[in-house]
Amino acid sequence: MKEITKILQIKSYFSDKQILERRSKDDKLDSRGRDLLDLCISNQIRILNGRVLGDTFGGLTCYTPNGASTVDYVLVSESILNQILYMRICNFIPTLSDCHCLLEWSLSAKYCLKTDCDSVNTHKMSPGFIWSDDSPALFQDALFTAEIQQRLEKFLKLEPINSQNAIDSASLELTDIIKTAANISLKRRKAQTGKGVKHQKWFDCNLAYLRKNLFSYGKIYSRFPRDPAVKGHFYKLQRLYTKARKHKYREYKQSLLKQIETLHEENPKQYWQLIDELQGKEKDDKSALVAPFDWLNHFKNLTEPKDEFKERLQFLEEKLNILEKRKCFNELDSRISETEISTALSSLKINKAAGLDNISNTNAYCYKCRHHGHFARMCSFHAKSCENPKPKKKSKSKIQRDHERMRKLIEKKQMSQFPFQELGDKELSVFTCSKQDESAKQHINKLKVSNRNFIKEIAVLKCENSKLDTVVKENVMLRNC
């Protein structure tokens, strides 16, 4: 069935006359391309790519790292195909699009204006005015001026308009009135100068050089899209340009943040100038500023009460005066007692900041009862606890511990009197077993005597050694002499 429908479509299709065969450098055809061809055949639409002057060979329109192809087309109806002058595929510009080329074509058109009169009086185009929120009120004020009112009265008293010339003159007069009112009240736009495109502040000469180099090599890439060396070099330049552009923009943002942080305190004037530049604000015209006298009157009127509230304010003032003169007792009028002060001080927390009196809570200390929160002369509040302090009771375990400590201390003192205090328990046991026959006291006395004799002998030996040393030294001195 599908083949039959296609055959019927081909039979019903009227072939073009004197039309060039379309060429294309992209030889591949996919399903979407077939659908596009079917659409063109069914609706009598023609493709200009590769068929018209300017693109007779069917150039490539899409350049990606994976390859180049033709995916952008110019489609026109069959009736205006003869009016197409040319169609051109521009060179690939990386900054204009990510991968597509710009397509240009021109169409010849014939038209004429049918007018009743031979000559039409035209006037210059009105200049551009800036229209803001305040513009309607200002424009109305300008219309109510004496000069504009006189001209409007003359315009309304004109003779009845019946001819084309009268209509033209009336329209010119009315537009002139509106222009004069607008010139009085509104601001004009600044005339554009013949300067080139303004780049961003972070776009320096290095980026401009990389951009120019990328554009020039893009033309070469559009000529030789199949060359792998040209393709690789082009995308290398594109990566370098994008990386450098992002780096410069990031540095510019960081420098702005640093300036905002530093200038806020160091130089407020430059700080606000920088803020205005970032917001795109221009310097305000001094003529549009409010006069000082108007400011003064404005703030004077703010403090003055309205007539509606004057009676109410007077009534409140009289009532306040009566209340101030009246005598009444209040809890705050009574004197503060020492007990209240001591309780307030004792309730305060320790190690906190001092108040208006510059006295910290740690300074309020009683040396009698050793409590914070009050002084010694205020210690009557704690008199009972200070006079009869309750003794602390020890537990049984602590009492036993103290008894053991005292027993050990007494034993150490007693053992220090004996000469064998440095001996261990094993040595003492051996010593006592070997001396069972003799009594302990006799043996101890003998040891003391022997110890004394040994001490005397040691002293005598020390004296003899000292004498020998002196003799040796004298001999050495004599030999040296």
Side-chain angles (χ1 to χ4, degrees):
M1 291 296 292
K2 291 182 180 179
E3 293 178 356
I4 293 167
T5 52
K6 284 184 179 180
I7 291 164
L8 291 172
Q9 286 178 0
I10 291 166
K11 287 182 178 180
S12 62
Y13 172 70
F14 297 99
S15 61
D16 298 324
K17 294 180 181 180
Q18 295 180 358
I19 189 169
L20 294 173
E21 185 179 354
R22 195 171 71 84
R23 296 181 181 180
S24 178
K25 292 181 180 179
D26 190 3
D27 300 331
K28 293 182 180 180
L29 181 65
D30 56 359
S31 60
R32 292 184 180 179
R34 293 189 186 92
D35 294 337
L36 181 63
L37 291 173
D38 293 338
L39 177 68
C40 293
I41 291 168
S42 60
N43 295 302
Q44 292 186 350
I45 296 172
R46 303 293 169 260
I47 300 172
L48 298 183
N49 297 53
R51 182 174 282 167
V52 187
L53 185 65
D55 186 31
T56 54
F57 296 102
L60 302 171
T61 61
C62 181
Y63 297 90
T64 60
N66 296 326
S69 61
T70 305
V71 295
D72 303 303
Y73 298 96
V74 180
L75 307 177
V76 297
S77 61
E78 186 181 352
S79 59
I80 63 169
L81 187 62
N82 295 326
Q83 297 178 6
I84 300 296
L85 298 177
Y86 77 95
M87 181 263 178
R88 185 170 71 90
I89 299 172
C90 298
N91 292 323
F92 178 52
I93 301 172
T95 56
L96 181 65
S97 176
D98 54 351
C99 58
H100 298 280
C101 294
L102 181 68
L103 304 180
E104 290 182 358
W105 70 92
S106 64
L107 178 70
S108 63
K110 295 179 181 179
Y111 62 93
C112 60
L113 293 172
K114 294 181 180 180
T115 56
D116 297 335
C117 57
D118 297 332
S119 61
V120 178
N121 294 324
T122 58
H123 56 274
K124 292 182 180 180
M125 189 175 178
S126 61
F129 293 99
I130 298 171
W131 192 264
S132 60
D133 296 334
D134 300 332
S135 298
L138 296 172
F139 187 71
Q140 288 176 5
D141 294 337
L143 289 174
F144 283 108
T145 56
E147 183 183 355
I148 302 297
Q149 287 293 321
Q150 289 177 2
R151 293 183 67 179
L152 286 171
E153 288 177 0
K154 289 181 181 179
F155 178 76
L156 293 172
K157 291 178 181 179
L158 290 174
E159 296 179 357
I161 300 167
N162 297 324
S163 62
Q164 184 67 36
N165 293 326
I167 292 168
D168 293 338
S169 61
S171 64
L172 288 171
E173 182 66 23
L174 184 61
T175 52
D176 193 13
I177 292 167
I178 293 168
K179 278 184 186 179
T180 52
N183 288 324
I184 294 168
S185 59
L186 303 178
K187 294 180 181 179
R188 288 189 178 185
R189 290 190 178 91
K190 292 182 179 179
Q192 294 181 357
T193 57
K195 295 180 181 179
V197 179
K198 288 185 178 180
H199 293 291
Q200 298 291 337
K201 290 184 178 180
W202 50 269
F203 197 89
D204 56 358
C205 58
N206 293 326
L207 285 175
Y209 174 74
L210 290 172
R211 187 168 178 265
K212 186 178 179 181
N213 195 8
L214 183 65
F215 285 177
S216 62
Y217 209 82
K219 295 177 182 178
I220 299 169
Y221 180 48
S222 60
R223 290 179 187 175
F224 307 101
R226 306 292 184 185
D227 192 349
V230 175
K231 178 182 174 182
H233 188 64
F234 172 77
Y235 284 108
K236 183 180 178 181
L237 291 174
Q238 190 179 14
R239 285 194 298 272
L240 288 172
Y241 172 69
T242 52
K243 189 176 180 180
R245 183 168 55 82
K246 289 178 181 178
H247 180 66
K248 291 287 183 182
Y249 181 65
R250 200 180 297 114
E251 284 184 347
Y252 176 69
K253 284 175 70 177
Q254 289 178 357
S255 65
L256 284 177
L257 291 172
K258 287 181 181 178
Q259 286 180 6
I260 289 168
E261 289 177 358
T262 55
L263 292 175
H264 187 270
E265 295 180 355
E266 295 177 359
N267 195 343
K269 187 177 180 180
Q270 289 185 3
Y271 172 77
W272 288 111
Q273 286 178 359
L274 181 63
I275 296 296
D276 292 337
E277 287 179 2
L278 293 174
Q279 291 179 352
K281 292 182 179 179
E282 297 180 355
K283 291 183 179 179
D284 296 329
D285 189 6
K286 292 183 179 180
S287 61
L289 297 175
V290 181
F293 183 73
D294 296 336
W295 278 111
L296 183 63
N297 290 331
H298 173 71
F299 286 106
K300 277 184 178 179
N301 295 327
L302 286 176
T303 56
E304 291 181 358
K306 294 182 180 180
D307 297 333
E308 300 174 0
F309 304 108
K310 282 184 178 180
E311 294 180 359
R312 178 67 177 168
L313 290 171
Q314 189 175 359
F315 173 73
L316 291 172
E317 286 178 358
E318 291 176 357
K319 197 169 184 179
L320 288 171
N321 291 327
I322 293 165
L323 291 172
E324 287 178 356
K325 291 177 182 179
R326 185 184 296 174
K327 293 181 180 180
C328 62
F329 178 75
N330 194 2
E331 293 179 355
L332 297 174
D333 296 334
S334 60
R335 292 185 178 181
I336 301 168
S337 61
E338 291 184 358
T339 55
E340 290 177 352
I341 294 169
S342 61
T343 51
L345 289 171
S346 60
S347 63
L348 295 174
K349 294 181 180 180
I350 304 169
N351 297 327
K352 295 292 181 181
L356 296 173
D357 53 359
N358 292 326
I359 299 172
S360 62
N361 300 334
T362 54
N363 293 333
Y365 178 73
C366 178
Y367 63 87
K368 289 183 179 180
C369 62
R370 296 179 181 179
H371 282 86
H372 288 279
H374 65 278
F375 298 99
R377 61 185 178 182
M378 298 165 60
C379 198
S380 60
F381 186 71
H382 299 282
K384 294 180 180 179
S385 61
C386 293
E387 290 175 0
N388 298 317
K390 293 181 181 180
K392 293 182 179 179
K393 292 182 179 180
K394 291 184 179 180
S395 61
K396 291 181 180 180
S397 60
K398 288 183 178 180
I399 292 167
Q400 290 177 0
R401 183 194 63 188
D402 294 340
H403 283 303
E404 288 179 359
R405 286 178 179 176
M406 290 299 293
R407 185 176 59 77
K408 289 179 181 179
L409 183 64
I410 291 165
E411 287 179 356
K412 284 182 180 180
K413 285 183 178 180
Q414 289 176 356
M415 291 295 289
S416 63
Q417 297 176 1
F418 297 102
F420 48 83
Q421 59 178 344
E422 295 179 357
L423 295 174
D425 295 335
K426 292 181 180 180
E427 294 174 351
L428 284 170
S429 62
V430 172
F431 177 74
T432 52
C433 291
S434 62
K435 301 294 180 180
Q436 290 178 359
D437 298 335
E438 296 180 2
S439 63
K441 289 183 179 180
Q442 290 177 0
H443 189 67
I444 288 165
N445 291 326
K446 287 179 182 180
L447 288 171
K448 286 181 179 179
V449 172
S450 62
N451 285 331
R452 287 172 186 170
N453 293 328
F454 284 131
I455 289 165
K456 287 179 181 179
E457 289 177 0
I458 289 164
V460 171
L461 290 170
K462 283 182 178 180
C463 292
E464 290 178 357
N465 286 327
S466 62
K467 288 178 181 179
L468 289 170
D469 291 334
T470 53
V471 171
V472 171
K473 287 179 182 179
E474 288 176 357
N475 291 328
V476 171
M477 292 291 289
L478 290 169
R479 286 177 185 176
N480 292 329
C481 293

